[in-house]
Amino acid sequence: MAFSFPTGVKRRTDCLSMILGEDIAEQEMLAWRLEPGELDPNNPLVTPATPWDSGSVFAHGTFALDPIDGRWKGWQASTPLTTGYFENYRRVTHLVSDDGVEWMRPELDLFPQPGYPLTNILLDFDSGGPSNYSSVMIDPNAEPDRRYEMFVMRDPGNTTNGSPGYIRGLSPPPPGQTHKRGMYRYFSPDGINWTVSEGPVLEVAVPGVRLVIPYENPKHTADTTYIFREPDGTYMATHKLGEPAHPGGLVPYDIFAEGRRVMARRTSPDGSTWSPFETIIQPDIYDPQDIQIMELCVTPVRSGYLGVIGIYLNRTQTMELHLGGSSDGRIWDRRVRLPAVSTGALGDYGGGMLWPSHNLIEHDGRHYMYFSATEGLHGDPASKSPSIWPFFSAICRASWAVNRYWAAVSGPGGDVVGTLTTHPLPVAGQSLTLNAATSTVADGTLQAELLDPDGHVVEGFSKDDYIPWHGDSTSAMARWTGGTRCPLDKCAVRFYLERSRLYGYAWESTP
């Protein structure tokens, strides 16, 4: 084969965390294995226990392993047991843990409740209305009063719960008006005492109208929004977007019956001014008709991003968690379109919907995802018109080994060899590191050969020259009788997989 290498395309040489479609020039007899999230045996970890979270302890927020004091912490939404519309009663509340499994509600004197002089409430209604989708970022090197940063969705004009119509700490709105619903920016010295800085930096479009038209305003966002700070100090937001329903996608009893949910992205140099949105994930021909994209929670990994995607099934009114990958945060690859965390039995926590939190937490070689697991459905499948039910949920978690999310395998299995061929890459003098495993049940083998840009096998680096590799490693060096280093300016690799799994690979300089 001769390779096509379009001008201006920069291919990744580091694919150790994940292989994406853009990394593959050719494949034969190949398929993709998903590594499902390992559920914590202690799930559910946090269940309703107080009057203000008697309905749900919800993961519209952030869980983190605080680099400042080493404790596990959560900033999540809680709702009381109510027959009213649950979003009207969401508060940001706080959780702490020494091990990530046993969680405590800290007793704080910020917002007392009847009979409870101390609570774990961080933002109550009288400070600016309901609050949820708290995106918390921690910077130990920031100014002392700005080490904790939070973007949180607030609805000051929602006066069903005692909201004053404005955000406490900001200049009051003009007479007869309220502050707008949207994402407000807060800072804190300790993650507990928060001071509003500005907002709304993004405004929620007109409630009840979810189609694309309201989003023409660059400040408009949706009622599911997460904001992330990039390593270079810039910001990225991911949020739901409404589009007209695709053919066969109309479900009359869904609360958004006339459309479908997709995922959008926007960026900001400073967290204050934002770019217009761009659509980044939509259902396509590889998806069932009832799939919609509800949330995207993003975590940086080697040479890209890992995304936990909330996949909403409007036909069954359920939601499950999928995995996706991206090299730039814009183009997302869903290698395996199966749930990485599935729903359980209806009526149990996790039987209805699974909602991911802001990001994954890396600890001791694993990536942890905290999520809210509901007992029930999003709405009434027996209804003749759009409906939505209250969400009753608890906090659970799942985890993956770091850099082990999906793998290339032989599609038919058995003794059939699957092949994956990369693009030619400028890797002269570099060595190839493998993130792979071979079967221990049967005699699995992984082999590789180097190809020049014209598709010819490089002498001394053929499949027959390869020293077969067996085992399980995230950092195994590929070896040929011709050596370990690429002898040409630019080489491609063809992998041969027999009862083996290739999670990733990387070209690296070696001493």
Side-chain angles (χ1 to χ4, degrees):
M1 66 179 275
F3 292 93
S4 172
F5 201 56
T7 302
V9 174
K10 183 179 179 180
R11 303 291 184 184
R12 298 192 307 157
T13 58
D14 186 346
C15 307
L16 199 72
S17 286
M18 62 185 72
I19 300 172
L20 305 175
E22 65 193 61
D23 305 317
I24 304 168
E26 184 181 74
Q27 66 178 59
E28 293 184 2
M29 307 298 283
L30 197 76
W32 296 91
R33 167 194 172 104
L34 175 71
E35 295 298 344
E38 181 180 320
L39 295 175
D40 194 298
N42 298 287
N43 285 341
L45 304 182
V46 187
T47 56
T50 71
W52 54 92
D53 67 16
S54 54
S56 67
V57 188
F58 212 73
H60 280 351
T62 302
F63 284 80
L65 184 54
D66 192 333
I68 295 176
D69 62 11
R71 301 193 79 189
W72 299 72
K73 298 179 180 177
W75 297 263
Q76 87 299 321
S78 293
T79 56
L81 184 63
T82 177
T83 56
Y85 187 50
F86 52 91
E87 283 194 357
N88 296 344
Y89 301 95
R90 283 181 176 164
R91 299 173 171 96
V92 172
T93 52
H94 196 35
L95 299 170
V96 295
S97 173
D98 292 323
D99 59 6
V101 177
E102 295 187 7
W103 290 84
M104 300 173 290
R105 294 167 172 82
E107 295 184 335
L108 309 171
D109 61 2
L110 301 176
F111 295 101
Q113 298 295 301
Y116 294 85
L118 302 176
T119 73
N120 67 329
I121 299 172
L122 299 182
L123 296 175
D124 207 354
F125 307 131
D126 61 1
S127 69
S131 53
N132 67 331
Y133 277 101
S134 49
S135 298
V136 176
M137 292 147 279
I138 307 170
D139 183 358
N141 299 315
E143 294 295 323
D145 61 347
R146 297 170 70 91
R147 288 176 177 165
Y148 297 82
E149 180 180 19
M150 175 170 64
F151 293 87
V152 60
M153 185 169 291
R154 307 218 63 178
D155 188 6
N158 185 339
T159 58
T160 60
N161 45 43
S163 169
Y166 60 88
I167 299 294
R168 183 185 297 168
L170 293 180
S171 299
Q177 298 184 31
T178 66
H179 282 148
K180 295 181 178 179
R181 185 186 183 197
M183 300 299 290
Y184 288 81
R185 191 180 199 177
Y186 287 72
F187 288 97
S188 170
D190 54 13
I192 295 173
N193 297 278
W194 294 91
T195 301
V196 66
S197 171
E198 60 179 321
V201 297
L202 294 171
E203 300 172 11
V204 174
V206 180
V209 181
R210 294 180 171 87
L211 294 182
V212 168
I213 293 174
Y215 297 91
E216 290 179 346
N217 183 333
K219 290 191 71 173
H220 275 162
T221 186
D223 58 354
T224 60
T225 302
Y226 279 118
I227 294 177
F228 309 87
R229 188 170 60 219
E230 300 275 34
D232 64 1
T234 62
Y235 294 81
M236 172 175 63
T238 62
H239 64 80
K240 183 175 67 179
L241 188 71
E243 294 182 342
H246 52 270
L250 178 64
V251 174
Y253 48 82
D254 185 61
I255 194 172
F256 186 31
E258 71 275 20
R260 68 176 186 177
R261 301 157 180 87
V262 301
M263 189 50 51
R265 171 186 183 266
R266 59 180 79 225
T267 59
S268 170
D270 54 12
S272 298
T273 58
W274 291 84
S275 68
F277 75 85
E278 58 176 340
T279 305
I280 56 173
I281 305 179
Q282 297 168 297
D284 57 30
I285 61 171
Y286 297 104
D287 290 313
Q289 289 180 324
D290 64 339
I291 274 185
Q292 300 188 18
I293 315 298
M294 187 72 82
E295 294 183 331
L296 172 62
C297 300
V298 179
T299 301
V301 293
R302 284 183 54 149
S303 192
Y305 301 88
L306 177 67
V308 177
I309 306 171
I311 296 290
Y312 177 59
L313 309 174
N314 65 344
R315 181 178 54 84
T316 59
Q317 298 287 288
T318 58
M319 187 165 159
E320 56 197 25
L321 302 182
H322 289 212
L323 297 181
S326 175
S327 61
D328 60 6
R330 296 180 64 246
I331 309 300
W332 285 86
D333 186 336
R334 293 183 283 147
R335 280 288 87 192
V336 185
R337 304 198 182 192
L338 295 171
V341 184
S342 301
T343 56
L346 198 63
D348 297 340
Y349 285 125
M353 295 175 288
L354 311 178
W355 297 82
S357 58
H358 180 263
N359 57 272
L360 294 163
I361 300 171
E362 184 174 342
H363 178 64
D364 285 347
R366 297 196 70 80
H367 263 138
Y368 291 92
M369 166 55 66
Y370 288 84
F371 60 94
S372 58
T374 73
E375 296 177 272
L377 305 176
H378 194 272
D380 184 0
S383 175
K384 298 293 192 295
S385 59
S387 64
I388 189 168
W389 280 336
F391 299 169
F392 299 99
S393 70
I395 298 295
C396 299
R397 77 171 181 177
S399 67
W400 294 262
V402 171
N403 296 335
R404 292 287 178 91
Y405 316 112
W406 55 83
V409 299
S410 166
D415 295 331
V416 176
V417 176
T419 65
L420 182 155
T421 307
T422 75
H423 297 278
L425 300 170
V427 292
Q430 297 185 34
S431 299
L432 184 64
T433 298
L434 305 180
N435 177 7
T438 59
S439 174
T440 57
V441 177
D443 186 18
T445 302
L446 187 153
Q447 295 177 285
E449 63 187 5
L450 299 187
L451 309 175
D452 67 21
D454 294 322
H456 302 133
V457 176
V458 178
E459 185 177 354
F461 292 83
S462 70
K463 175 186 175 185
D464 293 335
D465 295 316
Y466 187 79
I467 300 172
W469 182 84
H470 305 268
D472 187 335
S473 175
T474 58
S475 58
M477 182 178 292
R479 301 177 184 277
W480 292 265
T481 57
T484 60
R485 301 189 184 195
C486 176
L488 304 181
D489 290 338
K490 188 178 288 187
C491 274
V493 187
R494 177 174 291 138
F495 295 99
Y496 295 84
L497 307 172
E498 179 183 352
R499 292 194 172 100
S500 59
R501 309 188 295 275
L502 179 65
Y503 293 94
Y505 58 89
W507 285 100
E508 300 177 310
S509 298
T510 54

